[in-house]
């Protein structure tokens, strides 16, 4: 078993904005929203228990919005699970109306347990509402519709107790045939692919199970991965996967604290001997 203590590593969450196009309606103009910062890290008490999220309107008409908060977790396969968690925060204002080129600061304060044992992750949803704000259109003097895209953006909020640190270890590491990562392709290009297009072929790789026994989340994409082993023809093997390559292979690689476990499969390009020692380590 290979173990690495990641004190101070992965402290900046890079999950980024999640932008959802919830609906498209025929119209003459589009609304647009900006939310900043997309990532906030809070403590459980004091001034650090408050986040200030700015909602900006870069559209051409006033923008009504509402907020909600969900707690996020990931299962071992990496599937995102969200549950309502508005009771853990005071959000003010919970709704708002942002004028053209204006902005509204939303104050989000942690009111959950001050003694949580591990870090917890949440999404602040900022959802544009389909409400007409032009008085002339409300009175029926203008038949055109002013909304064509409704935006929902999610800002990530992580709450951590003082001194929380990740503690990641490799639970198991074995050779296996893996599928290469599938790049994001425009839906129009996907539709243009031949019906008889062959799926990607499996290639030699490894399956690694990692667990986080610490009290703070870890991001597996925040480190370089180094695999050492022996190939099936007896040659020494070592490969280093940089941050960008890891991100392409496993995404952010969010690993929850307090026993959070994930399984990742990565290609090695050559077959490895399962009877010989194998190690994986994570470095900055």
């Amino acid at each position: 078993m290979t173990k690495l203590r990641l004190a101070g590593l992965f402290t900046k969450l890079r999950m980024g904005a999640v932008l959802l196009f919830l609906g498209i309606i025929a119209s003459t103009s589009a609304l647009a929203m900006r939310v900043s910062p997309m990532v906030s890290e809070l403590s459980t008490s004091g001034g650090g228990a408050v986040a200030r999220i700015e909602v900006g309107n870069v559209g051409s008409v006033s923008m009504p919005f509402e907020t909600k908060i969900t707690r996020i977790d990931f299962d071992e396969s990496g599937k995102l699970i969200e549950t309502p968690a508005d009771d853990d925060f005071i959000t003010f204002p919970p709704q708002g109306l942002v004028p053209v080129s204006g902005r509204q600061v939303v104050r989000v304060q942690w009111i959950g347990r001050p003694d949580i044992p591990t870090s917890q992750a949440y999404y602040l949803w900022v959802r544009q509402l389909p409400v007409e704000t032009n008085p002339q259109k409300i009175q029926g003097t203008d038949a055109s519709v002013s909304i064509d895209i409704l935006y929902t953006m999610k800002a990530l909020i992580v709450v951590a107790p003082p001194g929380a640190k990740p503690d990641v270890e490799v639970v198991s590491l074995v050779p296996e045939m893996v599928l290469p990562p599938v790049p994001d392709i425009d839906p129009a290009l996907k539709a243009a692919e031949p019906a008889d297009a062959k799926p990607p072929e499996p290639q030699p790789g490894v399956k690694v199970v990692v667990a986080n026994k610490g009290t703070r989340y870890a991001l597996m994409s925040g480190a370089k991965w180094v695999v050492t082993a022996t190939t099936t023809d007896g040659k020494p093997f070592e490969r280093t996967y940089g941050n960008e390559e890891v991100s392409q292979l496993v995404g952010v690689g969010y690993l929850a604290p307090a026993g959070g476990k994930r399984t990742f499969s990565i290609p090695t390009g050559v077959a490895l001997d399962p009877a010989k020692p194998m190690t994986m380590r994570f470095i900055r």
Side-chain angles (χ1 to χ4, degrees):
M1 182 180 295
T2 302
K3 183 175 181 180
L4 173 66
R5 294 186 178 275
L6 298 175
L9 193 56
F10 313 134
T11 56
K12 184 173 182 180
L13 199 55
R14 298 182 298 156
M15 297 186 75
V18 179
L19 177 60
L20 305 177
F21 294 97
L22 298 183
I24 300 179
I25 307 171
S27 66
T28 58
S29 64
L31 298 180
M33 173 196 301
R34 286 180 181 168
V35 174
S36 177
M38 293 309 303
V39 178
S40 298
E41 296 193 13
L42 304 186
S43 59
T44 54
S45 62
V50 178
R52 291 171 175 80
I53 313 295
E54 184 177 288
V55 180
N57 180 5
V58 293
S60 58
V61 295
S62 297
M63 183 186 73
F65 72 91
E66 67 177 6
T67 64
K68 72 174 183 178
I69 293 179
T70 57
R71 178 169 174 171
I72 63 173
D73 296 283
F74 293 84
D75 63 19
E76 187 171 334
S77 65
K79 180 181 178 181
L80 174 66
I81 302 170
E82 293 188 62
T83 54
D86 289 300
D87 291 344
D88 286 343
F89 296 87
I90 292 177
T91 304
F92 183 83
Q95 303 91 22
L97 180 65
V98 186
V100 177
S101 301
R103 61 183 183 177
Q104 171 71 61
V105 175
V106 177
R107 188 177 185 272
V108 182
Q109 180 174 353
W110 170 256
I111 58 170
R113 289 176 50 191
D115 59 344
I116 56 173
T118 65
S119 64
Q120 298 175 185
Y122 299 84
Y123 274 142
L124 170 71
W125 292 56
V126 182
R127 185 172 75 92
Q128 178 186 341
L129 297 175
V131 178
E132 180 56 73
T133 58
N134 187 317
Q136 289 185 329
K137 295 176 184 178
I138 294 175
Q139 295 170 8
T141 58
D142 188 330
S144 63
V145 181
S146 65
I147 298 176
D148 55 358
I149 297 178
L150 299 179
Y151 294 92
T152 293
M153 299 188 73
K154 297 180 181 181
L156 187 72
I157 298 175
V158 180
V159 182
K165 297 178 181 179
D167 183 3
V168 175
E169 68 178 15
V170 175
V171 177
S172 64
L173 178 66
V174 296
E176 73 167 11
M177 298 298 289
V178 304
L179 290 174
V182 179
D184 292 331
I185 301 176
D186 184 274
L189 297 179
K190 287 184 179 179
E193 290 182 346
D196 59 351
K198 294 183 178 180
E201 294 287 337
Q203 56 185 271
V206 294
K207 179 175 72 174
V208 58
V209 179
V210 293
N212 181 7
K213 301 196 303 180
T215 55
R216 189 181 182 87
Y217 67 90
L219 291 184
M220 301 311 297
S221 62
K224 297 177 182 178
W225 296 20
V226 182
V227 178
T228 58
T230 303
T231 64
T232 52
D233 58 3
K235 297 180 180 179
F237 173 86
E238 180 171 302
R239 178 171 173 182
T240 300
Y241 300 80
N243 301 109
E244 184 174 345
E245 187 175 12
V246 172
S247 296
Q248 292 174 350
L249 292 171
V250 306
V252 171
Y254 177 87
L255 186 57
K261 187 180 293 185
R262 295 284 302 275
T263 300
F264 301 108
S265 295
I266 60 173
T268 55
V270 295
L272 303 179
D273 188 344
K276 299 292 178 64
M278 298 180 60
T279 65
M280 177 176 285
R281 53 196 175 93
F282 310 102
I283 60 176
R284 281 183 177 271

